[in-house]
Coordinates of all heavy atoms in Angstrom, one line a residue:
L712 N 24.2 -10.0 -7.6 CA 23.9 -11.5 -7.5 C 24.9 -12.2 -8.3 O 25.5 -13.3 -7.9 CB 22.5 -11.8 -7.9 CG 22.1 -13.3 -7.9 CD1 22.3 -13.9 -6.5 CD2 20.7 -13.5 -8.4
L713 N 25.2 -11.8 -9.5 CA 26.1 -12.5 -10.4 C 27.5 -12.6 -9.8 O 28.2 -13.6 -9.8 CB 26.2 -11.9 -11.8 CG 27.2 -12.5 -12.8 CD1 26.9 -13.9 -13.1 CD2 27.2 -11.6 -14.1
A714 N 28.0 -11.4 -9.3 CA 29.3 -11.4 -8.7 C 29.4 -12.3 -7.5 O 30.4 -13.0 -7.3 CB 29.6 -9.9 -8.3
D715 N 28.4 -12.3 -6.6 CA 28.4 -13.1 -5.4 C 28.4 -14.6 -5.8 O 29.1 -15.4 -5.1 CB 27.2 -12.8 -4.5 CG 27.4 -11.4 -3.9 OD1 28.5 -10.8 -4.0 OD2 26.4 -10.9 -3.4
L716 N 27.6 -15.0 -6.8 CA 27.6 -16.4 -7.2 C 28.9 -16.9 -7.8 O 29.4 -18.0 -7.4 CB 26.4 -16.6 -8.2 CG 25.1 -17.0 -7.6 CD1 24.0 -17.0 -8.7 CD2 25.1 -18.4 -6.9
T717 N 29.5 -16.1 -8.6 CA 30.7 -16.5 -9.2 C 31.9 -16.5 -8.2 O 32.8 -17.4 -8.2 CB 31.1 -15.5 -10.4 OG1 31.1 -14.2 -9.9 CG2 30.2 -15.7 -11.5
A718 N 31.8 -15.6 -7.2 CA 32.8 -15.6 -6.1 C 32.6 -16.9 -5.3 O 33.6 -17.5 -4.9 CB 32.6 -14.4 -5.3
A719 N 31.4 -17.3 -5.0 CA 31.2 -18.5 -4.2 C 31.7 -19.7 -5.0 O 32.2 -20.7 -4.4 CB 29.7 -18.6 -3.9
I720 N 31.5 -19.8 -6.3 CA 32.0 -20.9 -7.1 C 33.5 -21.0 -7.1 O 34.1 -22.0 -6.8 CB 31.4 -20.8 -8.5 CG1 29.9 -21.0 -8.5 CG2 32.1 -21.9 -9.4 CD1 29.3 -20.7 -9.9
S721 N 34.1 -19.8 -7.3 CA 35.6 -19.8 -7.4 C 36.2 -20.1 -6.0 O 37.3 -20.6 -5.9 CB 36.1 -18.5 -8.0 OG 35.7 -17.4 -7.2
A722 N 35.5 -19.7 -5.0 CA 36.0 -20.0 -3.6 C 36.1 -21.4 -3.3 O 36.9 -21.8 -2.4 CB 35.1 -19.3 -2.6
E723 N 35.4 -22.3 -4.0 CA 35.5 -23.7 -3.9 C 36.5 -24.4 -4.7 O 36.6 -25.6 -4.8 CB 34.1 -24.4 -4.2 CG 33.0 -23.9 -3.2 CD 33.2 -24.4 -1.8 OE1 33.6 -25.6 -1.6 OE2 33.0 -23.6 -0.9
G724 N 37.3 -23.5 -5.4 CA 38.4 -24.0 -6.2 C 37.9 -24.6 -7.5 O 38.5 -25.5 -8.1
V725 N 36.8 -24.1 -8.0 CA 36.1 -24.6 -9.2 C 36.2 -23.6 -10.3 O 36.0 -22.4 -10.0 CB 34.7 -25.0 -8.9 CG1 34.0 -25.5 -10.2 CG2 34.6 -26.1 -7.9
G726 N 36.6 -24.0 -11.5 CA 36.7 -23.1 -12.6 C 35.4 -23.0 -13.4 O 34.7 -24.0 -13.5
I727 N 35.0 -21.8 -13.8 CA 33.8 -21.6 -14.6 C 34.1 -21.7 -16.1 O 34.9 -20.9 -16.6 CB 33.1 -20.3 -14.2 CG1 32.8 -20.2 -12.7 CG2 31.9 -20.0 -15.1 CD1 32.2 -18.9 -12.3
V728 N 33.5 -22.6 -16.8 CA 33.6 -22.7 -18.2 C 32.7 -21.7 -19.0 O 33.1 -21.1 -19.9 CB 33.4 -24.2 -18.7 CG1 33.5 -24.3 -20.2 CG2 34.3 -25.1 -18.0
S729 N 31.5 -21.7 -18.6 CA 30.5 -20.7 -19.2 C 29.4 -20.4 -18.2 O 29.2 -21.1 -17.2 CB 29.9 -21.3 -20.4 OG 29.1 -22.5 -20.1
A730 N 28.8 -19.3 -18.4 CA 27.7 -18.8 -17.5 C 26.6 -18.2 -18.4 O 26.9 -17.5 -19.4 CB 28.2 -17.8 -16.5
E731 N 25.4 -18.4 -18.0 CA 24.3 -17.8 -18.7 C 23.3 -17.3 -17.7 O 22.9 -18.0 -16.8 CB 23.6 -18.9 -19.6 CG 22.4 -18.4 -20.4 CD 21.7 -19.5 -21.1 OE1 22.2 -20.6 -21.1 OE2 20.6 -19.2 -21.8
V732 N 22.8 -16.0 -17.9 CA 21.9 -15.4 -17.0 C 20.6 -15.1 -17.9 O 20.7 -14.3 -18.8 CB 22.4 -14.1 -16.4 CG1 21.4 -13.5 -15.5 CG2 23.7 -14.5 -15.6
E733 N 19.5 -15.6 -17.6 CA 18.3 -15.4 -18.3 C 17.7 -14.1 -17.8 O 17.9 -13.7 -16.7 CB 17.3 -16.5 -18.1 CG 17.8 -17.8 -18.6 CD 16.8 -19.0 -18.4 OE1 15.6 -18.7 -18.2 OE2 17.2 -20.1 -18.5
P734 N 16.9 -13.4 -18.6 CA 16.2 -12.1 -18.2 C 15.3 -12.4 -17.0 O 14.7 -13.4 -16.9 CB 15.4 -11.7 -19.4 CG 16.1 -12.4 -20.6 CD 16.6 -13.7 -20.0
P735 N 15.3 -11.5 -16.0 CA 14.4 -11.7 -14.9 C 12.9 -11.8 -15.3 O 12.5 -11.1 -16.2 CB 14.7 -10.4 -14.0 CG 16.0 -9.9 -14.5 CD 16.1 -10.2 -15.9
Q736 N 12.2 -12.6 -14.6 CA 10.8 -12.8 -14.8 C 10.1 -12.6 -13.4 O 10.3 -13.4 -12.5 CB 10.4 -14.2 -15.3 CG 11.0 -14.5 -16.6 CD 10.3 -13.7 -17.7 OE1 9.2 -13.3 -17.6 NE2 11.0 -13.5 -18.8
E737 N 9.4 -11.4 -13.3 CA 8.8 -11.1 -12.0 C 9.8 -11.1 -10.8 O 9.5 -11.7 -9.8 CB 7.6 -12.0 -11.7 CG 6.5 -11.9 -12.7 CD 5.3 -12.8 -12.3 OE1 5.4 -13.6 -11.4 OE2 4.2 -12.5 -12.9
L738 N 10.9 -10.5 -11.1 CA 12.0 -10.3 -10.1 C 12.7 -11.7 -9.7 O 13.4 -11.7 -8.8 CB 11.4 -9.7 -8.8 CG 10.8 -8.3 -9.0 CD1 10.4 -7.7 -7.6 CD2 11.9 -7.4 -9.6
R739 N 12.4 -12.7 -10.5 CA 13.1 -14.0 -10.3 C 14.1 -14.1 -11.5 O 13.8 -13.6 -12.6 CB 12.2 -15.2 -10.3 CG 11.1 -15.1 -9.2 CD 10.3 -16.4 -9.2 NE 9.1 -16.3 -8.4 CZ 8.2 -17.3 -8.2 NH1 8.4 -18.4 -8.8 NH2 7.2 -17.1 -7.5
V740 N 15.2 -14.8 -11.2 CA 16.2 -14.9 -12.3 C 16.8 -16.3 -12.2 O 16.8 -16.9 -11.1 CB 17.3 -13.8 -12.1 CG1 18.1 -14.1 -10.8 CG2 18.2 -13.7 -13.3
R741 N 17.3 -16.8 -13.4 CA 17.9 -18.1 -13.4 C 19.3 -18.0 -14.0 O 19.5 -17.4 -15.0 CB 17.0 -19.0 -14.3 CG 17.7 -20.4 -14.6 CD 16.8 -21.2 -15.5 NE 15.6 -21.6 -14.9 CZ 14.6 -22.3 -15.5 NH1 14.8 -22.6 -16.8 NH2 13.6 -22.6 -14.9
H742 N 20.2 -18.5 -13.2 CA 21.6 -18.5 -13.6 C 22.0 -20.0 -14.0 O 21.7 -20.9 -13.2 CB 22.6 -18.0 -12.5 CG 22.5 -16.6 -12.3 ND1 23.5 -15.8 -11.9 CD2 21.5 -15.7 -12.4 CE1 23.2 -14.6 -11.7 NE2 21.9 -14.5 -12.1
T743 N 22.7 -20.2 -15.1 CA 23.2 -21.5 -15.5 C 24.7 -21.5 -15.6 O 25.2 -20.6 -16.4 CB 22.5 -22.0 -16.8 OG1 21.1 -22.0 -16.6 CG2 22.9 -23.4 -17.1
Y744 N 25.4 -22.3 -14.9 CA 26.8 -22.3 -14.9 C 27.3 -23.7 -15.4 O 26.8 -24.7 -14.9 CB 27.4 -22.0 -13.5 CG 27.1 -20.6 -13.0 CD1 26.0 -20.4 -12.2 CD2 27.9 -19.5 -13.3 CE1 25.7 -19.2 -11.7 CE2 27.6 -18.3 -12.8 CZ 26.5 -18.1 -12.1 OH 26.1 -16.9 -11.6
T745 N 28.3 -23.7 -16.3 CA 29.0 -24.9 -16.6 C 30.4 -24.8 -15.9 O 31.2 -23.9 -16.2 CB 29.2 -25.2 -18.1 OG1 27.8 -25.3 -18.6 CG2 29.9 -26.4 -18.4
V746 N 30.8 -25.7 -15.0 CA 32.0 -25.6 -14.3 C 32.8 -26.9 -14.5 O 32.2 -28.0 -14.9 CB 31.7 -25.4 -12.8 CG1 31.0 -24.1 -12.6 CG2 30.9 -26.6 -12.2
E747 N 34.1 -26.9 -14.1 CA 34.9 -28.1 -14.2 C 35.4 -28.4 -12.7 O 36.1 -27.5 -12.1 CB 36.1 -27.8 -15.1 CG 35.7 -27.8 -16.6 CD 36.9 -27.7 -17.5 OE1 38.0 -27.3 -17.0 OE2 36.8 -28.1 -18.7
L748 N 35.0 -29.6 -12.3 CA 35.3 -30.0 -10.9 C 36.7 -30.7 -10.9 O 36.9 -31.6 -11.8 CB 34.3 -30.9 -10.4 CG 32.8 -30.4 -10.4 CD1 31.9 -31.5 -10.0 CD2 32.7 -29.2 -9.5
P749 N 37.5 -30.5 -9.9 CA 38.7 -31.2 -9.8 C 38.5 -32.7 -9.5 O 39.3 -33.5 -9.9 CB 39.5 -30.5 -8.7 CG 38.4 -29.8 -7.9 CD 37.4 -29.4 -8.9

Side-chain angles (χ1 to χ4, degrees):
L712 176 62
L713 176 62
D715 292 345
L716 268 171
T717 53
I720 294 172
S721 61
E723 295 296 315
V725 176
I727 299 176
V728 176
S729 65
E731 179 184 358
V732 179
E733 300 180 15
Q736 298 289 335
E737 295 185 345
L738 299 183
R739 302 183 192 183
V740 68
R741 173 182 292 175
H742 289 212
T743 303
Y744 297 92
T745 299
V746 298
E747 288 186 341
L748 305 173

